[in-house]
Amino acid sequence: VNGDLTSPETLPPALVGVHTVIDCATGRPEESVKAVDWEGKVALIQCCQAMKIQKYMFFSILNCDKHPNVPLMSIKYSTEKFLEESGLDYTIIRLCGFMQAVITQYAVPILEEKSVYGTDDQTKIAYMDTTDIARLTLSALKKEDCPSRLTFAGPQAFTIQQVIGLCERYAGADAKVSKVPLWQLTATRVLTSFFQWTVDVTDRMAFAEVLSSNESFVAPMQETYAELGVDASQITTMEMYLQEYYSTVLKKLKEVGAESRQGDYYL
């Protein structure tokens, strides 16, 4: 049974027989942030209240409370507050960033000899492998006294320039970097805000500005590992993740006899 956050009537059937909800859903780029991440989540939480769901796990964003003028951040924080007042047994998990996102934004374009976008800011993000996030979440669920708030962060924080550098090292290729100054992001966001049909684009560009503001999305994890009984040495580092990705892809490329543009064979 499928549940659609934009169709509240589909949610009750999807929750029949369910005792725990792990809410990691979010809107796709072409979807409305407000419709999915706010209206949809409110409907889901209310449905969980009515159906007596025993546990609700909600994935949020680190520092979302510090950016009330950024729609996605504001919505995440508002959802946290709504969940706190719902009466449900909940755990809010704030995340910094996903390693998987690095693949689509940087690793693949570099293999395909395409341009990647970078900035000169010093924003650092402690990316984490989604597999590790899932493992930590399950460890939290197993605890009878599961805390109501947790933050998951990767072992080390990286700037965009450092991520690109790692991709270049393991791909054995130089990246074509197109620098995007912050003022250009701001100007484009202001321009798109004038049109109703580009409102969602404007909202997402506001979030992009946050990720280019010299802010650090990182948190200490030693106490969290100890509390959840997780061995910190088993957490995937960015170097390990990218090295495994590129070694697997480059091996496949050699098997098919790739010689020139790597992307022509990879995809």
Side-chain angles (χ1 to χ4, degrees):
V1 178
N2 293 323
D4 186 342
L5 289 175
T6 61
S7 300
E9 69 277 5
T10 67
L11 299 178
L15 292 175
V16 173
V18 172
H19 58 74
T20 300
V21 170
I22 301 178
D23 179 5
C24 54
T26 191
R28 301 182 183 90
E30 68 274 13
E31 294 177 324
S32 165
V33 172
K34 181 181 179 182
V36 176
D37 288 86
W38 174 242
E39 295 171 354
K41 296 304 179 77
V42 167
L44 177 59
I45 292 171
Q46 290 175 333
C47 189
C48 288
Q49 288 175 296
M51 299 189 70
K52 309 298 182 184
I53 295 298
Q54 297 174 21
K55 185 71 178 182
Y56 194 103
M57 308 283 283
F58 174 64
F59 288 104
S60 188
I61 303 173
L62 185 66
N63 297 341
C64 62
D65 53 315
K66 298 179 181 179
H67 300 279
N69 296 323
V70 178
L72 182 59
M73 301 288 254
S74 176
I75 285 173
K76 287 292 186 182
Y77 184 58
S78 295
T79 306
E80 288 184 3
K81 304 303 291 183
F82 187 80
L83 183 58
E84 289 173 354
E85 298 169 0
S86 68
L88 292 170
D89 181 5
Y90 69 89
T91 294
I92 294 169
I93 301 175
R94 288 188 172 184
L95 305 174
C96 299
F98 303 113
M99 290 184 184
Q100 280 69 15
V102 171
I103 300 301
T104 56
Q105 292 174 358
Y106 303 105
V108 170
I110 289 174
L111 272 180
E112 295 180 334
E113 300 175 11
K114 294 180 179 178
S115 295
V116 295
Y117 293 96
T119 61
D120 290 324
D121 68 277
Q122 294 302 307
T123 299
K124 287 194 171 185
I125 300 176
Y127 298 96
M128 187 172 241
D129 186 357
T130 54
T131 302
D132 289 329
I133 293 173
R135 189 152 55 91
L136 288 168
T137 301
L138 290 177
S139 296
L141 274 173
K142 292 177 182 178
K143 289 183 63 66
E144 292 185 3
D145 55 343
C146 180
S148 60
R149 285 188 172 272
L150 290 167
T151 298
F152 293 167
Q156 186 178 351
F158 296 87
T159 64
I160 290 177
Q161 299 96 309
Q162 290 172 328
V163 169
I164 292 174
L166 287 174
C167 290
E168 289 178 317
R169 182 200 307 175
Y170 296 120
D174 293 330
K176 299 176 181 178
V177 182
S178 297
K179 294 290 180 69
V180 182
L182 183 57
W183 67 263
Q184 186 173 329
L185 280 175
T186 303
T188 305
R189 181 168 66 87
V190 171
L191 180 63
T192 56
S193 67
F194 292 134
F195 307 99
Q196 181 62 37
W197 53 276
T198 56
V199 167
D200 292 325
V201 174
T202 303
D203 291 349
R204 294 183 185 278
M205 291 193 72
F207 183 68
E209 282 186 40
V210 172
L211 300 181
S212 303
S213 59
N214 295 320
E215 186 173 347
S216 292
F217 290 82
V218 61
M221 288 291 292
Q222 288 78 10
E223 291 185 6
T224 302
Y225 292 142
E227 184 175 14
L228 300 182
V230 175
D231 184 354
S233 66
Q234 299 300 311
I235 300 298
T236 304
T237 65
M238 179 66 82
E239 290 90 342
M240 291 166 55
Y241 184 79
L242 287 175
Q243 188 172 22
E244 181 180 0
Y245 172 78
Y246 276 118
S247 62
T248 301
V249 170
L250 293 177
K251 180 181 178 181
K252 292 294 183 182
L253 289 173
K254 289 180 180 179
E255 290 176 356
V256 298
E259 296 177 357
S260 57
R261 285 184 58 84
Q262 296 164 325
D264 294 342
Y265 297 90
Y266 171 61
L267 293 179

